[in-house]
Structures are given as structure tokens and as C-alpha cells.
Amino acid sequence: MFDVLISSQPPVISAQEKVKLLLTPVNQETSDIPIALEEVHTKDIHLIIVSEDLSFFAHVHPEKKGKEYTVNFSFPFGGKFLLYCDIKPLNGSPVVIRKTVDVAGDSRDVQRYQQDVLSKTVDNVSVQLDVQDLNAIRVTMKQGRLPYRPLHWVIFWVLRPMW
């Protein structure tokens, strides 16, 4: 079974302050020894950061530094955030590992969607959420004009009961 160990510098994550997230992919069956990853879509790790109310998300790519991966990030507000680590162990199958972090600082009220279609494009990859209600969200993902890989990690990881 695979896991991603996550720590931060500083150890307490505060809203609107830069934090270095450190991620170490490990094999729990071999005493948490760091594992090698295969590159998928030009990166070893795709880290999706989502606020508890789903009003904020970011897609970042930690860079390898020795046996761990690091990324600098600033959480926009306090509260609970979900981190989805999308990895592919060397010669293994893709896996998404969900982690939770608590961010100190002012939280905000749950945000209600103001529109039925939410979209964002980063590095020529676009994601569109068509929201009928929170139980029926259609996700479309494209790279340029072409469909992107199957969304095995987005819809059922984000929308399954989390807390």
C-alpha cells in the first residue's frame, strides 16, 4: 500500500503566508521507504489542493529534492483543506492519496456557487465543472482542444463523504 507523507516548513500552516510543503511517497509495506515515481503528463506528482467547501482549488507540481518533493504554497484563508496527491509508483498503477491539512487564520463562511459552470485553465489544461447540485457535478478536462486523461481522481475523491 502506498502513501505520501506530508510535512511543512514552518510546521504550523497559516493563511496567506508562504509555506513549504514536503511530500515523500512511500511504500507502507516496506517500512515507509521512499519510492520512485514515474512521470505522468510531464510531472511526477500532481497535487490538487481543495478547500473544504470546494470554493478554492489549485493544481501544483512539487519538484523533486533528494528523496522528497517540495512546493511553496500560500493558502488563501484558514480552515480545512484537502490535498490529493496523484502519483504513479515505478512499474505500478496510478494512485491518488488524500490528505487533510488545517490552516490557521481567519476562515470564511461556506461559499455558495454563483454560477452553474466553473472553469479554470492552467498550463494549457482546462477543467470545467457543470454544477447541477452538489450530488450531480459533471467534470470536463481538456489539454488544449483534446480530451485529457480519465478523471479517476477528481469526481469520486472530491465528492465522496470527506468529514
Side-chain angles (χ1 to χ4, degrees):
M1 178 173 217
F2 298 105
D3 195 9
V4 174
L5 306 177
I6 296 182
S7 61
S8 65
Q9 295 174 354
V12 175
I13 300 173
S14 297
Q16 299 181 357
E17 292 183 15
K18 188 182 286 186
V19 62
K20 180 185 280 189
L21 298 174
L22 301 105
L23 297 85
T24 307
V26 297
N27 184 340
Q28 292 178 315
E29 295 171 357
T30 57
S31 303
D32 288 339
I33 295 173
I35 59 169
L37 300 177
E38 287 185 34
E39 191 175 277
V40 176
H41 300 292
T42 74
K43 300 295 179 185
D44 289 352
I45 296 180
H46 296 266
L47 179 63
I48 310 300
I49 301 170
V50 184
S51 63
E52 181 177 39
D53 68 355
L54 304 179
S55 68
F56 171 85
F57 77 93
H59 178 176
V60 297
H61 301 113
E63 296 295 325
K64 189 169 186 174
K65 305 284 185 200
K67 293 184 179 187
E68 62 189 5
Y69 292 79
T70 66
V71 64
N72 292 321
F73 192 75
S74 180
F75 291 85
F77 49 88
K80 186 180 291 187
F81 285 80
L82 303 164
L83 280 60
Y84 296 91
C85 307
D86 186 6
I87 62 172
K88 185 175 185 304
L90 187 63
N91 301 319
S93 297
V95 62
V96 175
I97 295 155
R98 185 183 73 175
K99 298 291 184 173
T100 302
V101 296
D102 290 309
V103 176
D106 292 335
S107 60
R108 64 180 189 183
D109 293 333
V110 172
Q111 301 295 300
R112 298 286 177 206
Y113 295 104
Q114 302 300 315
Q115 55 195 24
D116 291 335
V117 178
L118 306 167
S119 63
K120 187 165 189 170
T121 301
V122 176
D123 296 335
N124 201 32
V125 175
S126 63
V127 177
Q128 179 174 310
L129 304 177
D130 295 318
V131 182
Q132 306 306 312
D133 62 52
L134 289 182
N135 293 316
I137 299 175
R138 185 177 65 204
V139 179
T140 306
M141 197 168 184
K142 294 182 178 182
Q143 185 169 18
R145 299 176 66 115
L146 302 174
Y148 206 55
R149 71 179 173 154
L151 295 175
H152 68 275
W153 44 273
V154 175
I155 201 69
F156 31 121
W157 287 93
V158 171
L159 297 180
R160 72 180 194 162
M162 297 178 277
W163 41 88

